[in-house]
Amino acid sequence: MAGLEVLFASAAPAITCTQDALVCFLHWEMVTHGYYGLGVGDQPGANDKKSELLPAGWNNNKDLYVLRYEYKDGSRKLLVKAITVESSMILNVLEYGSQQVADLTLNLDDYIDAEHLGDFHRTYKNSEELRSRIVSGIITPIHEQWEKASVSSPHREFPPATAREVDPLRIPPHHPHTSRQPPWCDPLGPFAVGGEDLDPFGHRRGGMIVDPLRSGFPRALIDPSSGLPNRLPPGAVPPGARFDPFGPIGTSPPGWQISAVIMGNVFVISQAFLIH
């Protein structure tokens, strides 16, 4: 256990009880696993510095020891608290970054000889067992949990952006549409809907009446009397008027003549019984 005797010798004047000796052993174990002591207390202090020695004032409170540690590469920091409860000591360790916690309870009489605190070679009992319990109960769990947290959120690296991508003043090139746009008309206002139904010449858009003569597709001239049992009398459908059968073509009952004609703003429906 190289280094423990030197550490014990430097702290011997301050070691006055079994819990002091146990905290000294714990500090040595932390140093051997790559940690440096920073200082005492929960918060960083102005006098904090990395050191393998115990910081000043480390055992001012015999019931609660609070020490802070930092790993040698600065990747993690630990807050260690040792609480004295009768003849036992509860060790609590918090890793600041991942907020992982590990706890260990030790019986002071099992590992410290209270009658020989001034003699290093007789102070500690069952040293190998004590080392094993500290490593398995505190150091290993903290390291494993920290490594799992690092793997679950790996650092993502992105390729460097090119000059064209980071230039804030660059105007993106205009790519004209190669496909032909559909010949859609501009949308009408809400009050233009149905306007064609009031226009006898069909110059406006938005009507709801089906006009086969103005469907937009080329076709032969349609006889307005188609589908009726008899022909409409002359002048029944004025020239240029939009015409729509009142019902499906060919469904009018025999002897009846039904038609619908729009003239100006007037919608005229005529129904007459023809006498042969």
Side-chain angles (χ1 to χ4, degrees):
M1 293 186 290
L4 177 58
E5 184 175 359
V6 175
L7 176 65
F8 185 87
S10 65
I15 297 177
T16 59
C17 56
T18 56
Q19 52 264 40
D20 285 346
L22 184 60
V23 171
C24 179
F25 191 99
L26 172 64
H27 178 82
W28 170 76
E29 194 66 45
M30 298 296 295
V31 171
T32 59
H33 281 82
Y35 288 91
Y36 290 103
L38 293 178
V40 298
D42 295 339
Q43 303 298 327
N47 298 324
D48 287 356
K49 62 179 181 179
K50 291 183 179 182
S51 175
E52 294 183 356
L53 301 178
L54 283 164
W58 64 275
N59 62 342
N60 288 343
N61 188 342
K62 304 295 183 179
D63 295 325
L64 176 62
Y65 300 77
V66 182
L67 303 173
R68 286 177 289 105
Y69 294 88
E70 183 177 9
Y71 199 62
K72 55 186 177 182
D73 61 358
S75 60
R76 71 198 79 167
K77 293 183 178 181
L78 302 181
L79 175 64
V80 178
K81 293 186 178 182
I83 306 170
T84 304
V85 181
E86 296 181 351
S87 61
S88 299
M89 176 163 278
I90 301 174
L91 305 180
N92 179 276
V93 180
L94 168 68
E95 202 279 312
Y96 283 102
S98 62
Q99 295 295 304
Q100 302 294 336
V101 178
D103 299 280
L104 176 64
T105 301
L106 299 172
N107 189 341
L108 293 170
D109 294 336
D110 292 342
Y111 306 105
I112 308 296
D113 187 349
E115 300 297 330
H116 301 88
L117 294 178
D119 186 352
F120 168 75
H121 298 285
R122 301 174 65 181
T123 298
Y124 297 104
K125 302 183 295 184
N126 305 318
S127 300
E128 293 300 329
E129 179 184 338
L130 180 58
R131 291 196 63 184
S132 177
R133 293 198 61 185
I134 292 176
V135 172
S136 62
I138 293 179
I139 297 177
T140 299
I142 287 293
H143 283 196
E144 290 179 348
Q145 294 173 6
W146 185 83
E147 291 173 357
K148 289 180 180 179
S150 300
V151 172
S152 61
S153 57
H155 176 68
R156 298 180 60 187
E157 295 185 358
F158 298 92
T162 63
R164 293 173 60 87
E165 294 174 335
V166 300
D167 186 1
L169 302 179
R170 176 177 173 269
I171 300 177
H174 175 68
H175 299 285
H177 296 287
T178 56
S179 59
R180 182 181 179 184
Q181 297 295 325
W184 294 335
C185 301
D186 295 334
L188 299 174
F191 299 103
V193 176
E196 189 175 19
D197 296 339
L198 305 177
D199 185 3
F201 301 105
H203 293 161
R204 301 175 64 182
R205 293 174 285 117
M208 299 176 64
I209 295 179
V210 178
D211 187 357
L213 300 179
R214 292 180 173 83
S215 62
F217 298 96
R219 61 178 63 195
L221 184 62
I222 300 177
D223 185 1
S225 300
S226 299
L228 299 177
N230 293 285
R231 297 186 60 80
L232 294 176
V237 180
R242 292 180 295 127
F243 168 79
D244 185 41
F246 190 69
I249 296 177
T251 60
S252 298
W256 287 91
Q257 174 178 301
I258 304 173
S259 63
V261 180
I262 295 179
M263 294 181 294
N265 294 340
V266 180
F267 183 68
V268 180
I269 301 176
S270 61
Q271 178 176 349
F273 180 74
L274 302 178
I275 301 176
H276 297 282

